[in-house]
Amino acid sequence: MKRPAPRTMTLARIWLQQIAVLAAKEIRQLLRDRALFIYTVYIFTANILIAAGGASNELRDAPVRVHDADRSVASRDLIYSFQEPQFRLAGEVDSPTEALRLLDRGEAQMVLDIPSDFEISLRRQQPAHVQALIDTSQANIGYLASSYTARIVARYSEPWVQRNIIRAGGDPRQLPTIKNELRVWYNPGLDSKWFNTISELLTMVTVACILLPAAAMIREKERGTLEQLLVSPLTPLQIMLSKLLSMMLVMLCGTAVAIFGIMMPLYHVPFVGSVPLFFLLAALYAFTNAGLGLVAATFARNSAQVGLVVLLMVMPIVMLSGTWTPMESMPVWLRGLMYFSPLRHFIEIAYGILLRGAGFGLLWDSVLPMAAIGVALFALGLARFRRQFT
Amino acid sequence: MNLARVFTVAQREWREILRDRIYFLLAFLLPVMLMLVFGYGMSQDIENIAFAVVDEDHTPMSRDYAHHFIESRYFSFKGYLPDAGAADRLLARRKLRMVIVIGPRFAEQLRGGRTARIQTLIDGTFTTSTRTIQAYVEAINLAANAEIRAGQLARRLGLPPQRVAALMQPVVLDVRYLYNQEVRSIWAVAPGLIMLILMLVPPLLMALSVVREKETGAIYNVCSSTITRAEYLTGKLLPSVAISCINAVILWLLATLYFGAPFKGSLVFFAVATLLYILCTTALGLLISLLVRTQQAAMIISLVMSIIVSIQFSGLITPVSALAGANYAFAHAFPAMYYNAMVKGAFLKAVGFEVLWPQLLVFVLYASAVFFMCYLLFRKRTRT
């Protein structure tokens, strides 16, 4: 009665061995395809280094031009309050028309216009109007410029306010003040390198996890070796699994190199949470995306088409999943649609584990949808893969 | 040139476009998709930030302070929380991006003319938006402070509130936002996207349509027929230009009606400029198609060219005046840069024919020159 057990055991072992052999072949093939191999190494190393220095979207050295019609002590004091790191005084302009021209050409972020009665108005306790022309074609930077300006003007006004209150018979020391202390969590120094490198890694992992399996599959199709595989004793499931596992392995190694070799030692990106949990969920993410890549490969006939299909899928996924633009600002229908993007869930997981030290208890509502999307895509890919040849 | 033959080629081409599923998808779905994806992806507006308030004071004054945030268009109020512990949990689960904690003696301290300390906890995971959120909070806090101080001082000194407000604000800052009065980034992004998409899609469509005939061998039918080179090229060009014109209208509607970007300039100018721009970019695609042999190469070359030109050398992100030497010259060799100025002008600055007519003239010359180059390159007699 003991016989059947070892028999199924050996069958299972053969089944797994076949997958392992095929997966090894996939990896060897990737290593020998020079273009794809260089690309894979690049995205996990040099690309992360480049991303670290990327756009931080903060206001830095914004050129300020001044039109000072007053030329008084008070106006000069105000002008010199605009200092680095946010602003850089880029010189004076003679007329408002010239100011507009400089703004048009992008040579000034802001133009400050101080009227000729600035100091006199201050002394007479009348409102002294200062105009700030701000280029808001990049809305975010424009907003930051205006808010820093408001802060600088408020600080500049402080001594004048106190004088005015004393003159009116009040006591400036008895003014109520709300002091709002801002505490930034999970990245107290607001180091944009943390955010930039992590989001670049996630983007690249997404591209690689969709593109590599799709490319591996389409290569077999183009060269006709897929028919060879199909007449072999291998099942479609084994063929797909082998491609998936090999690419998953490549992706996990690349991620490990990127995190432990570059992001942590060079940029001090923290790894607060559990390492095994992170890589387990990264593997799940790779599986989900590979499903997407395999589905794409079944729709295309050659590598040009697969490139196009992958491009059409990756672009919205990468741009709209919430790394580069906050989800909250999107309309409700788009947010609903992005629920089906695997990256949208993996962003929660990756940032959660790396920066916040989140465990499975906090992440299950991201893990479950991601797993469900992965299983659905893989099943679809398998079904379409079988149908292509019957 | 025999117009009947041109028309026949165009008609055949049109039918083929409608029948090829992938090509049809590229022609009509790609532009709309790109507009939506980049429209939402490139706009950096930070709004509807989910926040909550922990109010341990429970006074009209503390509620007043919270209201400053609740009424802002940038924040979306999710309710009051019982204690800071709940705030921690919701921040960790990313249900909230910000929590304001108002301590128990808030109103009392303020009424005594002292400093009341409160805390704002912000999720710093996404550094780009965190910085903007900080700026929002500080601006609102500044306004709330001014209001409370003025109110209290007016009562204490027995002066009219307006007078006190003037005393408290000796320097009045009038901010004028140029180009984009509501500081919505989509206003500036949407016109730029029209430039980008019309640089990307028409060359791709055009290049694929000729190379496809080379791949399938259908080009030999053309070579052996009585049709002249100019007739064939014009016939190929027309349907592609027509599709791109339809797309341009769709993109314009998306930009103005869907994204709500203002259109201040002249519609006639915009239409003429866009038509000429499409002619230029389509002609570039035709040029590519004559130089390569496979659809794959045509696609890669046209995409790479379009992406590099439209993103780096068009003034979309960095102004062309900031480019140095060779890059500056390179930018001037493609129509994207001129059209970017036109589209921005037509949308945001209401500039039209009177300022930009030289650029239109450049387009006419450009399209004719490229088309003439295609005419010279295209040979019915094959080399082999």
Side-chain angles (χ1 to χ4, degrees):
Chain A
M1 290 306 284
K2 270 184 180 174
R3 277 197 90 89
R7 178 133 179 80
T8 44
M9 280 280 284
T10 36
L11 270 181
R13 195 193 289 148
I14 290 171
W15 197 81
L16 287 175
Q17 229 164 25
Q18 284 170 332
I19 292 184
V21 169
L22 262 186
K25 170 223 138 205
E26 285 304 330
I27 289 179
R28 209 167 291 145
Q29 214 166 8
L30 176 68
L31 293 181
R32 283 182 193 163
D33 185 335
R34 198 173 301 162
L36 214 51
F37 177 69
I38 290 176
Y39 174 73
T40 314
V41 171
Y42 165 80
I43 61 172
F44 289 112
T45 52
N47 194 45
I48 303 286
L49 292 171
I50 293 169
S56 57
N57 220 335
E58 56 190 305
L59 194 68
R60 180 158 290 196
D61 290 338
V64 178
R65 306 261 178 174
V66 192
H67 178 236
D68 183 3
D70 195 29
R71 302 199 170 272
S72 59
V73 179
S75 72
R76 261 194 298 278
D77 272 354
L78 177 62
I79 292 168
Y80 286 108
S81 324
F82 286 84
Q83 288 295 341
E84 279 123 18
Q86 284 93 18
F87 294 106
R88 171 170 59 86
L89 287 174
E92 296 209 9
V93 287
D94 299 327
S95 64
T97 4
E98 158 137 28
L100 281 176
R101 201 176 54 81
L102 289 169
L103 282 163
D104 273 346
R105 288 171 44 190
E107 287 173 28
Q109 172 70 46
M110 180 169 82
V111 174
L112 215 57
D113 193 355
I114 302 176
S116 54
D117 59 353
F118 181 71
E119 186 168 319
I120 295 178
S121 302
L122 279 175
R123 294 198 181 283
R124 288 189 185 149
Q125 299 191 338
Q126 278 157 354
H129 288 266
V130 171
Q131 201 180 47
L133 301 171
I134 298 176
D135 174 0
T136 42
S137 45
Q138 269 182 294
N140 218 9
I141 296 287
Y143 183 82
L144 286 180
S146 99
S147 101
Y148 281 120
T149 307
R151 229 182 294 170
I152 288 170
V153 169
R155 205 177 311 134
Y156 169 84
S157 312
E158 202 60 28
W160 293 98
V161 172
Q162 297 198 349
R163 250 179 61 148
N164 288 346
I165 292 171
I166 292 170
R167 276 220 230 152
D171 183 355
R173 280 164 305 178
Q174 278 205 354
L175 277 181
T177 309
I178 305 170
K179 202 156 191 170
N180 195 339
E181 287 161 3
L182 298 176
R183 297 263 167 92
V184 176
W185 282 16
Y186 315 126
N187 187 351
L190 263 186
D191 188 344
S192 44
K193 287 193 183 84
W194 294 9
F195 168 77
N196 283 355
T197 50
I198 296 175
S199 63
E200 187 67 21
L201 178 66
L202 296 187
T203 304
M204 284 305 140
V205 162
T206 309
V207 174
C209 286
I210 297 178
L211 184 68
L212 291 180
M217 197 58 112
I218 213 74
R219 209 164 30 208
E220 309 256 19
K221 236 181 182 179
E222 271 185 329
R223 297 190 186 150
T225 46
L226 200 56
E227 271 81 1
Q228 280 179 21
L229 286 175
L230 286 175
V231 295
S232 69
L234 303 163
T235 62
L237 179 66
Q238 280 176 306
I239 297 172
M240 284 184 78
L241 268 183
S242 65
K243 299 211 182 295
L244 199 148
L245 288 176
S246 54
M247 295 311 146
M248 192 188 278
L249 194 70
V250 170
M251 195 283 282
L252 289 181
C253 291
T255 308
V257 168
I259 292 182
F260 298 115
I262 296 174
M263 287 155 65
M264 288 173 71
L266 293 182
Y267 305 120
H268 312 289
V269 176
F271 202 132
V272 184
S274 138
V275 176
L277 182 67
F278 178 79
F279 280 94
L280 187 74
L281 292 178
L284 179 65
Y285 180 63
F287 164 76
T288 307
N289 274 337
L292 209 52
L294 292 174
V295 171
T298 62
F299 277 103
R301 257 168 287 137
N302 52 44
S303 37
Q305 284 184 354
V306 92
L308 195 72
V309 176
V310 167
L311 189 75
L312 289 184
M313 288 197 302
V314 165
M315 249 182 340
I317 288 179
V318 165
M319 294 204 79
L320 301 178
S321 287
T323 36
W324 302 114
T325 37
M327 291 300 281
E328 294 98 317
S329 313
M330 293 177 193
V332 176
W333 66 268
L334 194 60
R335 258 183 280 171
L337 205 62
M338 290 325 284
Y339 195 76
F340 296 100
S341 151
L343 181 59
R344 193 219 168 300
H345 302 292
F346 192 57
I347 282 172
E348 302 286 327
I349 294 169
Y351 282 101
I353 297 178
L354 287 173
L355 298 186
R356 270 178 263 134
F360 190 76
L362 282 179
L363 296 173
W364 64 267
D365 57 350
S366 299
V367 175
L368 288 187
M370 194 171 85
I373 295 168
V375 171
L377 283 173
F378 195 73
L380 178 67
L382 199 62
R384 283 195 54 88
F385 182 65
R386 280 212 185 99
R387 224 180 52 195
Q388 277 184 314
F389 297 93
T390 49
Chain B
M1 214 188 308
N2 184 340
L3 285 180
R5 284 204 292 237
V6 172
F7 186 68
T8 312
V9 175
Q11 208 177 17
R12 189 207 70 102
E13 183 68 16
W14 180 254
R15 208 166 287 155
E16 198 170 348
I17 289 167
L18 294 183
R19 286 183 189 164
D20 185 335
R21 238 194 305 165
I22 288 202
Y23 195 79
F24 187 79
L25 212 71
L26 281 181
F28 290 105
L29 203 69
L30 186 67
V32 174
M33 198 197 89
L34 287 174
M35 187 78 180
L36 290 178
V37 165
F38 282 108
Y40 287 113
M42 281 174 66
S43 81
Q44 295 280 330
D45 291 329
I46 292 156
E47 286 176 13
N48 297 323
I49 301 150
F51 85 108
V53 178
V54 178
D55 186 355
E56 292 170 341
D57 196 37
H58 300 293
T59 54
M61 243 173 156
S62 67
R63 270 193 290 278
D64 240 29
Y65 184 76
H67 252 276
H68 277 101
F69 290 88
I70 295 170
E71 280 156 15
S72 159
R73 92 172 197 217
Y74 300 116
F75 294 102
S76 140
F77 181 57
K78 299 291 177 203
Y80 284 99
L81 295 176
D83 53 57
D88 284 5
R89 275 193 301 280
L90 288 169
L91 275 174
R93 294 195 47 201
R94 294 249 301 127
K95 298 290 168 207
L96 294 174
R97 293 285 282 269
M98 183 178 94
V99 177
I100 300 170
V101 184
I102 303 175
R105 291 169 59 225
F106 180 76
E108 186 193 320
Q109 282 166 334
L110 288 180
R111 248 183 258 116
R114 276 169 287 150
T115 301
R117 286 174 200 281
I118 62 164
Q119 277 186 356
T120 301
L121 315 173
I122 306 176
D123 176 354
T125 314
F126 300 102
T127 41
T128 36
S129 46
T130 308
R131 242 182 228 104
T132 310
I133 296 174
Q134 280 185 326
Y136 291 159
V137 171
E138 283 180 20
I140 292 175
N141 191 50
L142 217 59
N145 256 316
E147 202 183 298
I148 286 176
R149 286 174 158 197
Q152 216 173 78
L153 210 62
R155 247 175 286 125
R156 219 181 289 158
L157 299 175
L159 289 171
Q162 290 99 323
R163 176 74 195 128
V164 175
L167 289 181
M168 300 292 296
Q169 199 187 6
V171 181
V172 181
L173 182 67
D174 303 321
V175 175
R176 251 184 70 202
Y177 294 122
L178 291 178
Y179 316 130
N180 189 352
Q181 283 74 6
E182 286 194 24
V183 203
R184 293 186 189 274
S185 55
I186 190 66
W187 284 22
V189 168
L193 283 180
I194 296 183
M195 179 278 293
L196 184 138
I197 294 167
L198 290 182
M199 179 80 223
L200 208 75
V201 181
L204 183 69
L205 292 179
M206 192 66 237
L208 285 182
S209 97
V210 176
V211 177
R212 196 175 38 193
E213 297 205 10
K214 283 193 195 173
E215 272 192 351
T216 55
I219 197 108
Y220 295 113
N221 293 337
V222 175
C223 293
S224 57
S225 71
T226 51
I227 189 168
T228 66
R229 289 186 282 167
E231 284 165 1
Y232 173 71
L233 291 179
T234 319
K236 281 296 239 188
L237 207 64
L238 283 181
S240 195
V241 169
I243 292 175
S244 297
C245 286
I246 298 172
N247 278 328
V249 173
I250 296 175
L251 291 178
W252 184 81
L253 289 175
L254 275 176
T256 51
L257 296 181
Y258 185 73
F259 284 124
F263 187 82
K264 297 174 185 161
S266 133
L267 206 52
V268 178
F269 167 75
F270 180 71
V272 171
T274 306
L275 177 66
L276 291 175
Y277 179 61
I278 289 173
L279 279 174
C280 291
T281 55
T282 310
L284 279 175
L286 191 60
L287 189 63
I288 292 172
S289 73
L290 295 174
L291 297 174
V292 300
R293 246 172 293 149
T294 61
Q295 288 197 55
Q296 200 169 347
M299 190 150 79
I300 290 171
I301 292 178
S302 71
L303 277 181
V304 167
M305 174 201 77
S306 308
I307 288 172
I308 291 179
V309 167
S310 59
I311 291 181
Q312 312 221 348
F313 296 99
S314 66
L316 183 70
I317 294 163
T318 39
V320 175
S321 56
L323 296 172
N327 289 349
Y328 183 78
F330 186 77
H332 283 73
F334 287 93
M337 179 200 105
Y338 308 100
Y339 187 65
N340 193 47
M342 289 183 202
V343 113
K344 285 258 165 76
F347 266 86
L348 299 172
K349 297 178 189 166
V351 212
F353 285 112
E354 56 299 339
V355 182
L356 294 169
W357 65 267
Q359 267 96 326
L360 290 182
L361 209 63
V362 169
F363 275 7
V364 174
L365 292 176
Y366 193 95
S368 325
V370 175
F371 190 76
F372 186 65
M373 243 152 78
C374 295
Y375 177 74
L376 291 181
L377 278 171
F378 179 57
R379 277 167 218 286
K380 288 171 79 175
R381 188 185 302 272
T382 47
R383 284 220 182 82
T384 44

